[in-house]
Amino acid sequence: MATENPAATVEHLFALYYRFGDDDYIGEPVSQLEHMWQAALLAEAEGYDDEVVLAAFFHDLGHLCAQQEQHTESMNGFGVVNHEKLGADYLRGCGFAERVARLVESHVLAKRYLTYRYPEYLRQLSPASQATLGFQGGPMTAAEAATFEQDADADIIIRMRQWDDQAKQEHLPVGDLNHLKDMALRHLRYQSETLPSSAL
């Protein structure tokens, strides 16, 4: 399992960003890497813990995984269907905490929740985000929204969605990724030290 060698796991994970991160971010004015780095920057600036900062950085990892695995089920050219699940499952396989994976997996749910709860939010979405909403299930139903609101991390999931919306600033150079690599390495080492061997 990847957690047996956290350093190698982190290098392999960040290699996806080095290889595919400069690609266009599905109709937005920034690259994939710029977008996810900006999201992590916003999370860290607000003082959130490492798990949330990492989830913000990894939230669209599924698009990079899809490019590596050559997935073809796209949303009319706006990325791949179920990218949130692809990314979350990849992180689980790497040994990241379930909370990190769930935050990544839930950022699309937050979009669906906000368009249900606040119809004006739909008009605030970028054209690309509006285009993908239909592929992602559209606004939630009342029952889905009620279930979502019971999630202990619902507020953080919504905040992640807001960072997702904000992290599209042009001409903002990406900083040194070593800080995030070190954070990911500390996290994986902690996971491998605290989880029972049967869970690895």
Side-chain angles (χ1 to χ4, degrees):
M1 188 61 167
T3 47
E4 294 175 1
N5 191 340
T9 298
V10 169
E11 289 302 322
H12 188 270
L13 173 55
F14 276 74
L16 292 174
Y17 285 86
Y18 297 134
R19 182 178 178 188
F20 301 114
D22 288 335
D23 290 354
D24 175 62
Y25 174 52
I26 55 172
E28 303 288 2
V30 291
S31 70
Q32 298 272 6
L33 175 56
E34 287 170 334
H35 172 64
M36 287 184 270
W37 177 77
Q38 289 179 26
L41 196 67
L42 290 165
E44 193 162 32
E46 293 185 22
Y48 280 89
D49 61 54
D50 286 2
E51 288 188 351
V52 176
V53 174
L54 288 171
F57 182 64
F58 295 141
H59 78 275
D60 273 342
L61 174 65
H63 290 305
L64 308 185
C65 295
Q67 288 172 272
Q68 175 178 254
E69 298 167 14
Q70 299 184 332
H71 278 257
T72 57
E73 190 179 3
S74 82
M75 298 180 286
N76 280 353
F78 292 103
V80 295
V81 176
N82 293 327
H83 74 279
E84 68 281 10
K85 180 167 174 51
L86 283 175
D89 286 346
Y90 184 93
L91 292 170
R92 290 184 179 105
C94 287
F96 283 85
E98 178 60 20
R99 181 174 181 240
V100 176
R102 282 192 64 253
L103 290 174
V104 168
E105 197 164 29
S106 299
H107 77 279
V108 169
L109 288 179
K111 176 180 173 182
R112 296 185 59 225
Y113 172 77
L114 289 169
T115 52
Y116 162 79
R117 183 62 69 196
Y118 308 103
E120 66 275 13
Y121 175 74
L122 178 60
R123 296 190 294 273
Q124 298 170 15
L125 291 175
S126 69
S129 287
Q130 291 185 27
T132 57
L133 180 61
F135 290 95
Q136 295 164 337
M140 283 185 173
T141 64
E144 288 174 323
T147 299
F148 175 83
E149 289 167 350
Q150 298 304 309
D151 192 308
D153 279 328
D155 289 344
I156 294 176
I157 294 167
I158 290 170
R159 196 75 192 105
M160 279 191 58
R161 179 67 219 178
Q162 292 164 340
W163 297 327
D164 191 354
D165 292 333
Q166 296 167 31
K168 299 171 184 178
Q169 300 300 311
E170 295 182 77
H171 315 302
L172 183 61
V174 173
D176 187 354
L177 293 184
N178 285 326
H179 171 59
L180 290 167
K181 288 178 74 173
D182 289 344
M183 188 182 295
L185 183 56
R186 285 196 307 272
H187 175 84
L188 286 181
R189 282 177 172 162
Y190 177 78
Q191 289 299 110
S192 65
E193 290 167 1
T194 57
L195 287 177
S197 58
S198 61
L200 297 178

Short mmCIF file of all heavy atoms in Angstrom, two decimals, residues 123-162:
data_model
loop_
_atom_site.label_atom_id
_atom_site.label_comp_id
_atom_site.label_asym_id
_atom_site.label_seq_id
_atom_site.Cartn_x
_atom_site.Cartn_y
_atom_site.Cartn_z
N ARG A 123 -26.73 32.10 -10.99
CA ARG A 123 -26.36 33.21 -11.87
C ARG A 123 -24.95 33.71 -11.59
O ARG A 123 -24.36 34.38 -12.43
CB ARG A 123 -27.37 34.34 -11.72
CG ARG A 123 -28.79 33.97 -12.16
CD ARG A 123 -29.71 35.17 -12.22
NE ARG A 123 -29.95 35.75 -10.89
CZ ARG A 123 -30.92 35.34 -10.07
NH1 ARG A 123 -31.71 34.33 -10.45
NH2 ARG A 123 -31.10 35.89 -8.89
N GLN A 124 -24.43 33.38 -10.42
CA GLN A 124 -23.07 33.82 -10.07
C GLN A 124 -22.00 32.87 -10.58
O GLN A 124 -20.82 33.22 -10.60
CB GLN A 124 -22.95 33.94 -8.54
CG GLN A 124 -23.89 34.97 -7.92
CD GLN A 124 -23.91 34.88 -6.40
OE1 GLN A 124 -23.06 34.25 -5.79
NE2 GLN A 124 -24.91 35.52 -5.79
N LEU A 125 -22.40 31.67 -10.98
CA LEU A 125 -21.44 30.70 -11.47
C LEU A 125 -20.85 31.13 -12.80
O LEU A 125 -21.51 31.79 -13.61
CB LEU A 125 -22.11 29.33 -11.64
CG LEU A 125 -22.54 28.59 -10.38
CD1 LEU A 125 -23.30 27.33 -10.76
CD2 LEU A 125 -21.35 28.26 -9.50
N SER A 126 -19.60 30.75 -13.03
CA SER A 126 -18.98 31.00 -14.32
C SER A 126 -19.71 30.19 -15.39
O SER A 126 -20.38 29.19 -15.07
CB SER A 126 -17.50 30.61 -14.28
OG SER A 126 -17.38 29.20 -14.18
N PRO A 127 -19.60 30.59 -16.66
CA PRO A 127 -20.25 29.81 -17.72
C PRO A 127 -19.85 28.34 -17.71
O PRO A 127 -20.69 27.46 -17.94
CB PRO A 127 -19.78 30.51 -19.00
CG PRO A 127 -19.56 31.93 -18.58
CD PRO A 127 -18.99 31.83 -17.18
N ALA A 128 -18.59 28.05 -17.41
CA ALA A 128 -18.14 26.65 -17.38
C ALA A 128 -18.81 25.89 -16.25
O ALA A 128 -19.25 24.74 -16.42
CB ALA A 128 -16.62 26.59 -17.23
N SER A 129 -18.93 26.52 -15.08
CA SER A 129 -19.58 25.86 -13.95
C SER A 129 -21.07 25.65 -14.20
O SER A 129 -21.65 24.64 -13.78
CB SER A 129 -19.38 26.68 -12.67
OG SER A 129 -18.06 26.57 -12.21
N GLN A 130 -21.69 26.59 -14.87
CA GLN A 130 -23.10 26.42 -15.23
C GLN A 130 -23.25 25.27 -16.21
O GLN A 130 -24.19 24.47 -16.11
CB GLN A 130 -23.65 27.70 -15.84
CG GLN A 130 -23.79 28.86 -14.85
CD GLN A 130 -24.44 30.07 -15.47
OE1 GLN A 130 -25.23 29.95 -16.41
NE2 GLN A 130 -24.13 31.25 -14.95
N ALA A 131 -22.32 25.15 -17.14
CA ALA A 131 -22.41 24.10 -18.16
C ALA A 131 -22.27 22.71 -17.55
O ALA A 131 -22.90 21.76 -18.03
CB ALA A 131 -21.33 24.32 -19.22
N THR A 132 -21.45 22.57 -16.50
CA THR A 132 -21.22 21.25 -15.92
C THR A 132 -22.30 20.84 -14.92
O THR A 132 -22.42 19.66 -14.59
CB THR A 132 -19.85 21.20 -15.23
OG1 THR A 132 -19.76 22.23 -14.24
CG2 THR A 132 -18.73 21.36 -16.24
N LEU A 133 -23.08 21.80 -14.43
CA LEU A 133 -24.05 21.49 -13.38
C LEU A 133 -25.02 20.39 -13.80
O LEU A 133 -25.35 19.50 -13.01
CB LEU A 133 -24.82 22.76 -12.99
CG LEU A 133 -25.89 22.60 -11.91
CD1 LEU A 133 -25.26 22.12 -10.60
CD2 LEU A 133 -26.64 23.92 -11.69
N GLY A 134 -25.48 20.43 -15.03
CA GLY A 134 -26.42 19.42 -15.50
C GLY A 134 -25.82 18.02 -15.48
O GLY A 134 -26.50 17.05 -15.14
N PHE A 135 -24.55 17.90 -15.82
CA PHE A 135 -23.88 16.60 -15.79
C PHE A 135 -23.70 16.10 -14.36
O PHE A 135 -23.54 14.90 -14.13
CB PHE A 135 -22.50 16.71 -16.45
CG PHE A 135 -22.55 16.91 -17.94
CD1 PHE A 135 -22.48 18.19 -18.47
CD2 PHE A 135 -22.66 15.83 -18.80
CE1 PHE A 135 -22.52 18.39 -19.84
CE2 PHE A 135 -22.69 16.02 -20.18
CZ PHE A 135 -22.63 17.31 -20.71
N GLN A 136 -23.73 17.02 -13.41
CA GLN A 136 -23.46 16.70 -12.01
C GLN A 136 -24.73 16.47 -11.19
O GLN A 136 -24.67 16.33 -9.98
CB GLN A 136 -22.60 17.81 -11.39
CG GLN A 136 -21.22 17.90 -12.04
CD GLN A 136 -20.49 19.19 -11.75
OE1 GLN A 136 -21.10 20.22 -11.41
NE2 GLN A 136 -19.18 19.18 -11.87
N GLY A 137 -25.86 16.45 -11.85
CA GLY A 137 -27.11 16.15 -11.17
C GLY A 137 -28.03 17.33 -10.98
O GLY A 137 -29.15 17.18 -10.49
N GLY A 138 -27.59 18.54 -11.37
CA GLY A 138 -28.42 19.73 -11.23
C GLY A 138 -28.60 20.10 -9.76
O GLY A 138 -28.02 19.49 -8.86
N PRO A 139 -29.39 21.14 -9.49
CA PRO A 139 -29.65 21.52 -8.09
C PRO A 139 -30.22 20.35 -7.30
O PRO A 139 -30.95 19.52 -7.83
CB PRO A 139 -30.66 22.66 -8.23
CG PRO A 139 -30.42 23.23 -9.59
CD PRO A 139 -30.04 22.04 -10.45
N MET A 140 -29.90 20.30 -6.01
CA MET A 140 -30.41 19.23 -5.15
C MET A 140 -31.92 19.30 -5.02
O MET A 140 -32.53 20.36 -5.22
CB MET A 140 -29.80 19.36 -3.75
CG MET A 140 -28.39 18.87 -3.62
SD MET A 140 -27.84 18.94 -1.88
CE MET A 140 -26.26 18.12 -2.01
N THR A 141 -32.51 18.18 -4.65
CA THR A 141 -33.90 18.17 -4.22
C THR A 141 -33.94 18.60 -2.75
O THR A 141 -32.90 18.66 -2.07
CB THR A 141 -34.49 16.77 -4.35
OG1 THR A 141 -33.79 15.89 -3.44
CG2 THR A 141 -34.37 16.24 -5.77
N ALA A 142 -35.13 18.87 -2.25
CA ALA A 142 -35.26 19.25 -0.84
C ALA A 142 -34.75 18.15 0.08
O ALA A 142 -34.10 18.42 1.09
CB ALA A 142 -36.73 19.58 -0.53
N ALA A 143 -35.03 16.90 -0.28
CA ALA A 143 -34.59 15.76 0.55
C ALA A 143 -33.06 15.66 0.55
O ALA A 143 -32.44 15.42 1.59
CB ALA A 143 -35.21 14.47 0.05
N GLU A 144 -32.44 15.82 -0.62
CA GLU A 144 -30.99 15.78 -0.71
C GLU A 144 -30.36 16.90 0.11
O GLU A 144 -29.35 16.70 0.80
CB GLU A 144 -30.54 15.88 -2.17
CG GLU A 144 -30.82 14.64 -3.00
CD GLU A 144 -30.49 14.86 -4.47
OE1 GLU A 144 -30.72 15.97 -4.99
OE2 GLU A 144 -29.99 13.90 -5.09
N ALA A 145 -30.96 18.08 0.04
CA ALA A 145 -30.44 19.23 0.79
C ALA A 145 -30.53 18.99 2.29
O ALA A 145 -29.60 19.32 3.04
CB ALA A 145 -31.19 20.49 0.40
N ALA A 146 -31.62 18.41 2.73
CA ALA A 146 -31.78 18.13 4.16
C ALA A 146 -30.72 17.15 4.64
O ALA A 146 -30.16 17.30 5.74
CB ALA A 146 -33.18 17.59 4.43
N THR A 147 -30.42 16.15 3.82
CA THR A 147 -29.37 15.19 4.17
C THR A 147 -28.01 15.86 4.21
O THR A 147 -27.22 15.65 5.13
CB THR A 147 -29.36 14.03 3.17
OG1 THR A 147 -30.62 13.35 3.22
CG2 THR A 147 -28.24 13.05 3.47
N PHE A 148 -27.74 16.69 3.22
CA PHE A 148 -26.46 17.39 3.15
C PHE A 148 -26.24 18.25 4.38
O PHE A 148 -25.13 18.30 4.93
CB PHE A 148 -26.41 18.26 1.89
CG PHE A 148 -25.17 19.11 1.78
CD1 PHE A 148 -23.99 18.59 1.27
CD2 PHE A 148 -25.19 20.44 2.19
CE1 PHE A 148 -22.84 19.38 1.19
CE2 PHE A 148 -24.05 21.23 2.10
CZ PHE A 148 -22.87 20.69 1.59
N GLU A 149 -27.28 18.91 4.84
CA GLU A 149 -27.17 19.81 5.99
C GLU A 149 -26.83 19.09 7.28
O GLU A 149 -26.39 19.71 8.25
CB GLU A 149 -28.45 20.63 6.14
CG GLU A 149 -28.62 21.66 5.03
CD GLU A 149 -30.02 22.26 4.98
OE1 GLU A 149 -30.93 21.73 5.68
OE2 GLU A 149 -30.22 23.24 4.24
N GLN A 150 -27.03 17.78 7.31
CA GLN A 150 -26.71 16.99 8.51
C GLN A 150 -25.23 16.61 8.57
O GLN A 150 -24.76 16.13 9.61
CB GLN A 150 -27.57 15.72 8.55
CG GLN A 150 -29.07 15.99 8.63
CD GLN A 150 -29.44 16.87 9.82
OE1 GLN A 150 -29.04 16.58 10.96
NE2 GLN A 150 -30.18 17.93 9.57
N ASP A 151 -24.51 16.82 7.49
CA ASP A 151 -23.09 16.46 7.46
C ASP A 151 -22.32 17.35 8.42
O ASP A 151 -22.45 18.58 8.40
CB ASP A 151 -22.54 16.64 6.03
CG ASP A 151 -21.16 16.02 5.84
OD1 ASP A 151 -20.26 16.31 6.64
OD2 ASP A 151 -21.00 15.25 4.89
N ALA A 152 -21.49 16.75 9.27
CA ALA A 152 -20.73 17.51 10.26
C ALA A 152 -19.79 18.51 9.60
O ALA A 152 -19.43 19.54 10.21
CB ALA A 152 -19.94 16.56 11.15
N ASP A 153 -19.37 18.24 8.37
CA ASP A 153 -18.45 19.13 7.65
C ASP A 153 -19.17 19.98 6.60
O ASP A 153 -18.51 20.54 5.72
CB ASP A 153 -17.34 18.31 6.97
CG ASP A 153 -16.23 17.92 7.94
OD1 ASP A 153 -15.96 18.69 8.88
OD2 ASP A 153 -15.65 16.84 7.76
N ALA A 154 -20.48 20.10 6.69
CA ALA A 154 -21.24 20.82 5.66
C ALA A 154 -20.73 22.24 5.47
O ALA A 154 -20.58 22.72 4.34
CB ALA A 154 -22.73 20.83 6.01
N ASP A 155 -20.44 22.94 6.57
CA ASP A 155 -19.98 24.32 6.46
C ASP A 155 -18.63 24.40 5.75
O ASP A 155 -18.39 25.31 4.94
CB ASP A 155 -19.87 24.98 7.85
CG ASP A 155 -21.24 25.25 8.47
OD1 ASP A 155 -22.25 25.23 7.73
OD2 ASP A 155 -21.29 25.49 9.69
N ILE A 156 -17.74 23.47 6.04
CA ILE A 156 -16.44 23.46 5.39
C ILE A 156 -16.58 23.10 3.92
O ILE A 156 -15.91 23.68 3.05
CB ILE A 156 -15.48 22.48 6.10
CG1 ILE A 156 -15.17 22.99 7.51
CG2 ILE A 156 -14.19 22.32 5.31
CD1 ILE A 156 -14.31 22.04 8.33
N ILE A 157 -17.46 22.16 3.62
CA ILE A 157 -17.68 21.77 2.22
C ILE A 157 -18.19 22.97 1.42
O ILE A 157 -17.75 23.22 0.29
CB ILE A 157 -18.68 20.60 2.14
CG1 ILE A 157 -18.07 19.34 2.78
CG2 ILE A 157 -19.07 20.31 0.69
CD1 ILE A 157 -19.06 18.23 3.02
N ILE A 158 -19.09 23.73 2.00
CA ILE A 158 -19.59 24.94 1.33
C ILE A 158 -18.47 25.96 1.16
O ILE A 158 -18.35 26.61 0.12
CB ILE A 158 -20.78 25.53 2.11
CG1 ILE A 158 -21.99 24.61 1.99
CG2 ILE A 158 -21.11 26.94 1.61
CD1 ILE A 158 -23.14 24.98 2.91
N ARG A 159 -17.64 26.10 2.20
CA ARG A 159 -16.52 27.05 2.11
C ARG A 159 -15.57 26.62 1.01
O ARG A 159 -15.05 27.46 0.26
CB ARG A 159 -15.78 27.12 3.45
CG ARG A 159 -14.88 28.34 3.54
CD ARG A 159 -15.69 29.61 3.76
NE ARG A 159 -14.89 30.81 3.57
CZ ARG A 159 -14.95 31.61 2.50
NH1 ARG A 159 -15.78 31.34 1.51
NH2 ARG A 159 -14.21 32.69 2.42
N MET A 160 -15.33 25.31 0.88
CA MET A 160 -14.48 24.82 -0.20
C MET A 160 -15.05 25.19 -1.56
O MET A 160 -14.31 25.55 -2.48
CB MET A 160 -14.31 23.30 -0.10
CG MET A 160 -13.27 22.87 0.92
SD MET A 160 -12.87 21.11 0.79
CE MET A 160 -12.31 20.99 -0.90
N ARG A 161 -16.35 25.11 -1.67
CA ARG A 161 -16.98 25.49 -2.94
C ARG A 161 -16.76 26.98 -3.23
O ARG A 161 -16.51 27.37 -4.37
CB ARG A 161 -18.48 25.18 -2.87
CG ARG A 161 -19.24 25.55 -4.12
CD ARG A 161 -18.83 24.67 -5.29
NE ARG A 161 -18.76 25.44 -6.53
CZ ARG A 161 -18.39 24.92 -7.70
NH1 ARG A 161 -18.07 23.65 -7.78
NH2 ARG A 161 -18.32 25.66 -8.77
N GLN A 162 -16.82 27.79 -2.19
CA GLN A 162 -16.59 29.21 -2.38
C GLN A 162 -15.15 29.50 -2.79
O GLN A 162 -14.90 30.36 -3.64
CB GLN A 162 -16.98 29.96 -1.10
CG GLN A 162 -18.49 29.91 -0.83
CD GLN A 162 -18.88 30.28 0.58
OE1 GLN A 162 -18.06 30.23 1.50
NE2 GLN A 162 -20.13 30.67 0.77
#
